[in-house]
């Protein structure tokens, strides 16, 4: 496709959100009627156009579905079954409106791709069992209200898909970056031409609806790039057209305008680069934005909206946030719209965490990305590596100077060209005792090549993706986990993909991987957003859990012969239906790995319901307690986790060294309207979780991605490293490092090194037995991993012990050798190195430092 041919594609693709906006504003045509449906889902609008052409030439719908659809229903010719159309998303309802049996819909963009639907005879429904994985992307999930896309990501992704590119463009980070830049510049230029004086007659020939679409398309692309000044001009033009000629679209355009003004005010006030306490919820008194003129315009937009629709909880939430930015919350918020401060209060005080990123050299400014904190140089110091979702954004390597500060060594480390990664995970894949990196790309986007970066053990990395057999095919993925599936001492790799089968790469021990997913029985196709590894049945072999955005999750039990059986339903771990981050951990210290998985509904409305204690429309977080018999019990409500947020980055650690693992969730969606605080959940002795966000000062309101727990300052408690930033360059943000205030409890940190087992000791199980001053005993359990599926803590395990204890025994269960190593005389409040098979341990010398250097300690 040439650039001139790209022009009509631009106006089709870049305005998709605007057209859906108008569709959703129109009266529903399908009512509450039932219909039997088939569906075809493909990855791009271009492929969808070809599907429509094939159907137009007379090919049958079921044949085309079997041939090209990426939906789980493809095997059955796309048959979904008999559905209540009123329960489907509004844009799907509009596409089906007026269709009779045998007719097909127009192309509809859904979460998992581009869809074409067909109404068929109800007789076909008898042969169709409704698959929740197919239903999830088109379902409205009851009355869940989804946040509008504001910020341009759908438009930017659409123009990237349609822009002419070389066949192998997605195999090199540099060419991916170039395609992104070229598609954005070309599309923006075409819009500029459309709005130029020379095109005045062309614009006069357009209906108000088309002009509104054009202004919204231009506004969205400008907002994506961070040009909010120009963007709000076009949002204003769209608003004027909506008021005069497209009244059905007026409410949502008004909300978009208000959000754009609020985002612009934040950028102009520098809160994304220097957030301080201005980006925390609840806000500190007197911490208003420095530039408030646009905040006032946002308040006016939201207030005008609520005057017409006073029960709109999402806009009410945004109005309160705008008053916070104005420095006049809660007193100046109209009483009928006010959200009281009590909604955000903590019932427990865990001490105030302080953001020390700026003075420590860790204030990386970037879009969404992952974070890994680990020792990459063998010095005993924890370095920090971050990635950047924006195609041209660098992966950054921040080297620990040993004095509480960090230096950017990205170029020297050879990572300058590793752009565009949404997530990163670490492991020593080649057993050379140096920790390597895997950069994952393409999540939510078109397929892109991942990068395996081998640590050269001298502070540099080499891209060995192609030699290792991991480059082809390119996939869309943000989630992967390292694990030794056959206990041969070499780490294998499970990759969860979006709209493609999962991959399980077996490590041959010679630097090469072979995909055995099909023979292993784990090659199910889904929209995977999280993968976790853990030996949930304590049989000595690692199992996997896959969290899917498009339906039920998968629990793969290891059969000990490089094959797995899927047991999610039998084990009682189906997930929330819209899954994201997930992990195995022993939250109650009973020796059995439990399972946590977040729900991910892009809904400010349902998030606000959590704080206001209103009934939810979306499904909640899920905590499954291991019952020790191969099944799990859903204890979500019992432990107080029956909440709905929008968590992306998430991880766990022990903030108070009591031996029980706590949870930190980073919130958001790509939309600039998704403003919600991160959440810190304290584990109460394995019985429940309590929200301590407000008391801890960790409620950052901007987008949260990679999360890591780590003792960065060597003072014996875990700090929180949070990579902050949205999915667009215009939503970039500085990283946060929340320094733990300390709680006076004891701890021990164990760095395990395998000999027969993999050198990273991933999958090894640790049991620490302690005795308190009064003679009572307890046991604390850990599994060696980097924690959550979006963000990576060190593989060295920091273990809280409680107050005034004596360690009586440490046991390490090594998976490959199936041996249990006992250590006695283990001191507390130290970091120790433990090697498989050796009866002794070695202290790791560390000295407490002030994050930010000596000046920060004054």
């Amino acid at each position: 496709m040439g650039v001139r041919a790209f022009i009509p594609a631009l106006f089709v693709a870049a305005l998709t959100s605007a057209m859906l906006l108008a569709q959703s504003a129109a009266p529903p045509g399908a009512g509450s009627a039932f219909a039997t449906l088939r569906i075809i889902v493909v990855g791009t609008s271009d492929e969808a156009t070809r599907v429509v052409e094939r159907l137009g030439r007379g090919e049958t719908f079921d044949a085309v579905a079997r041939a090209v659809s990426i939906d789980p229903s493809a095997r059955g010719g796309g048959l979904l079954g008999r559905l209540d159309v009123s329960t489907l998303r509004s844009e799907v309802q509009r596409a089906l409106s007026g269709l009779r049996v045998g007719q097909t819909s127009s192309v509809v963009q859904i979460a998992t791709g581009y869809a074409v639907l067909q109404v068929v005879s109800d007789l076909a429904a008898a042969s169709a069992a409704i698959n929740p994985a197919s239903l999830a992307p088109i379902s409205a999930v009851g009355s869940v209200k989804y946040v509008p896309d504001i910020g341009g990501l759908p438009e930017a992704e659409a123009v990237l898909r349609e822009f002419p590119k070389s066949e192998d463009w997605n195999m090199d980070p540099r060419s991916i970056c170039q395609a992104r830049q070229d598609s954005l510049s070309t599309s923006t230029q075409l819009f500029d031409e459309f709005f130029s004086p020379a095109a005045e007659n062309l614009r006069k020939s357009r209906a108000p609806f088309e002009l509104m679409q054009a202004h919204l398309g231009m506004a969205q692309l400008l907002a994506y790039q961070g040009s909010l000044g120009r963007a709000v001009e076009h949002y204003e033009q769209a608003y004027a057209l909506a008021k005069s000629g497209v009244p059905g679209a007026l409410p949502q355009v008004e909300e978009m305008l208000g959000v754009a003004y609020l985002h612009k005010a934040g950028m102009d006030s520098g809160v994304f680069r220097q957030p301080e306490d201005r980006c925390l919820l609840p806000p500190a008194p007197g911490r208003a934005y420095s530039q408030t003129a646009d905040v006032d315009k946002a308040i006016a937009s939201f207030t005008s909206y609520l005057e017409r629709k006073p029960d709109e909880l999402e806009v009410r939430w945004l109005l309160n946030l705008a008053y916070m930015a104005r420095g006049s919350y809660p007193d100046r918020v109209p009483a009928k719209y006010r959200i009281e401060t009590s909604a955000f209060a903590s019932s427990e005080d865990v001490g105030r965490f302080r953001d020390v990123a700026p003075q420590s050299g860790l204030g990386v400014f970037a879009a969404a990305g992952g974070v890994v904190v680990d020792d990459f140089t063998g010095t005993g110091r924890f370095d920090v590596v971050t990635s950047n979702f924006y195609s041209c954004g660098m992966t950054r390597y921040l080297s620990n100077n040993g004095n509480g500060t960090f230096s950017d060594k990205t170029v020297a480390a050879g990572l300058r060209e590793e752009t565009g990664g949404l997530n990163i995970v670490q492991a020593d894949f080649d057993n050379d005792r140096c920790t390597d990196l895997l950069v994952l790309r393409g999540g939510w986007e078109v397929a892109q090549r991942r990068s395996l970066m081998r640590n050269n053990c001298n502070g540099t990395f080499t891209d060995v993706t192609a030699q290792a057999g991991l480059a082809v095919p390119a996939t869309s993925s943000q989630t992967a986990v390292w694990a030794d599936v056959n206990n041969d001492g070499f780490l294998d790799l499970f990759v969860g993909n979006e709209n493609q089968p999962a991959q399980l790469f077996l490590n041959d021990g010679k630097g090469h991987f072979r995909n055995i997913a099909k023979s292993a029985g784990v090659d199910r196709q889904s929209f995977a957003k999280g993968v976790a590894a853990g030996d949930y049945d304590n049989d000595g072999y690692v199992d996997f859990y896959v969290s899917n955005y498009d339906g039920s999750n998968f629990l793969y039990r290891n059969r000990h012969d490089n094959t797995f059986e899927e047991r999610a339903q039998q084990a009682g771990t189906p997930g929330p239906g819209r899954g994201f981050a997930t992990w195995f951990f022993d939250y109650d210290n009973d020796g059995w790995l439990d399972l946590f998985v977040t729900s991910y509904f892009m809904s400010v409305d349902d998030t606000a319901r959590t704080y206001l204690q209103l009934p939810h429309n979306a499904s909640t977080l899920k905590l499954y307690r291991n019952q020790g018999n191969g099944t799990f019990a859903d204890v979500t409500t019992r432990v107080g986790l029956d909440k709905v947020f929008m968590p992306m980055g998430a991880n766990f650690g022990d903030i108070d060294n009591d031996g029980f693992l706590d949870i930190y969730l980073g919130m958001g969606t790509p939309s600039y309207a998704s403003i919600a605080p991160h959440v810190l959940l304290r584990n109460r002795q394995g019985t429940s979780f309590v929200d301590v966000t407000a008391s801890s000062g960790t409620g950052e309101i901007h987008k949260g991605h990679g999360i890591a727990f780590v003792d960065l300052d060597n003072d014996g408690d875990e700090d929180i490293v949070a990579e902050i930033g949205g999915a667009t360059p215009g939503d970039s943000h500085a990283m946060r490092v929340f320094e733990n205030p300390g709680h006076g409890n004891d701890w021990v940190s164990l760095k395990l090194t395998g000999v027969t087992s993999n050198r990273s000791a991933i999958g090894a199980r640790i049991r620490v037995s302690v005795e308190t001053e009064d003679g009572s005993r307890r046991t604390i359990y850990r599994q060696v991993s980097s924690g959550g599926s979006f963000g990576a803590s060190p593989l060295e395990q920091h273990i809280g012990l409680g107050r005034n204890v004596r360690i009586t025994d440490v046991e390490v269960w090594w998976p490959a050798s199936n041996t249990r190593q006992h250590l006695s005389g283990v001191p507390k409040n130290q970091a120790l190195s433990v090697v498989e098979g050796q009866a002794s341990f070695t202290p790791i010398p560390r000295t407490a430092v002030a994050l930010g250097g000596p000046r920060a300690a004054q």
Side-chain angles (χ1 to χ4, degrees), residues 187-439:
S187 58
T188 305
Q189 180 183 347
L190 291 172
F191 271 116
D192 280 334
E193 291 175 6
F194 179 76
F195 289 116
S196 69
E200 182 178 359
N201 290 335
L202 174 61
R203 292 195 301 278
K204 287 181 178 179
S205 68
R206 301 290 185 177
F209 173 65
E210 294 176 308
L211 288 174
M212 183 194 74
Q213 286 180 314
H215 280 293
L216 286 176
M218 181 61 154
Q220 292 281 81
L221 288 175
L222 290 169
Y224 173 91
Q225 297 169 81
S227 299
L228 265 295
R230 292 186 62 200
V232 294
E233 295 175 6
H234 286 277
Y235 284 123
E236 285 279 13
Q237 291 292 327
Y239 178 58
L241 287 161
K243 284 199 298 185
S244 62
V246 195
L250 180 60
Q252 190 162 329
V253 176
E254 191 166 48
E255 180 182 356
M256 295 174 79
L257 178 61
V259 169
Y261 271 122
L262 185 58
H263 196 87
K264 179 177 181 294
M267 295 183 74
D268 292 345
S269 300
V271 302
F272 294 96
R273 290 187 178 272
Q274 296 176 309
E276 301 171 345
D277 288 347
R278 295 178 293 177
C279 297
L280 298 182
L281 197 157
R287 300 299 290 157
Y289 287 5
S290 60
Q291 305 294 319
T292 58
D294 287 330
V295 176
D296 291 338
K297 294 176 182 178
I299 289 173
S301 292
F302 297 145
T303 303
S304 174
Y305 184 110
L306 289 169
E307 287 172 353
R308 290 190 305 273
K309 303 177 71 174
D311 296 328
E312 185 58 65
L313 185 54
E314 174 180 286
V315 179
R316 180 184 165 199
W317 174 272
L318 291 169
L319 177 66
N320 279 263
L321 288 170
Y323 273 103
M324 292 178 194
R326 188 70 177 82
S328 50
Y329 169 88
D331 297 339
R332 299 292 298 277
V333 183
K336 58 185 175 180
Y337 304 137
R338 185 185 304 138
I339 297 175
E340 300 296 343
T341 58
S342 58
F344 310 111
S346 297
S347 60
E348 295 180 4
D349 187 356
V350 295
R352 190 79 174 178
F353 287 63
R354 182 174 63 103
D355 180 17
V356 295
Q359 60 265 43
S360 61
L362 291 174
V364 175
F365 184 76
V371 64
V372 172
V373 184
D374 219 316
D375 179 4
F376 291 99
T377 57
T379 61
R381 302 172 186 168
F382 294 124
D383 308 307
V384 178
V385 180
T386 66
S387 63
N388 191 324
F389 182 55
Y390 176 52
S391 302
C392 302
M394 284 193 297
T395 296
R396 292 194 177 274
Y397 180 85
L398 303 160
S399 177
N400 192 326
N401 297 322
N403 62 355
T405 66
F406 293 76
S407 296
D408 191 332
K409 297 293 182 66
T410 302
V411 175
L415 295 175
R416 182 176 183 174
E417 304 298 330
E418 293 304 317
T419 54
L422 181 54
N423 199 12
I424 40 180
V425 290
Q426 86 274 31
D428 179 6
F429 81 90
D430 54 359
N431 281 347
D432 64 354
R433 298 199 177 193
C434 300
T435 301
D436 312 297
L437 288 168
L438 179 72
V439 183

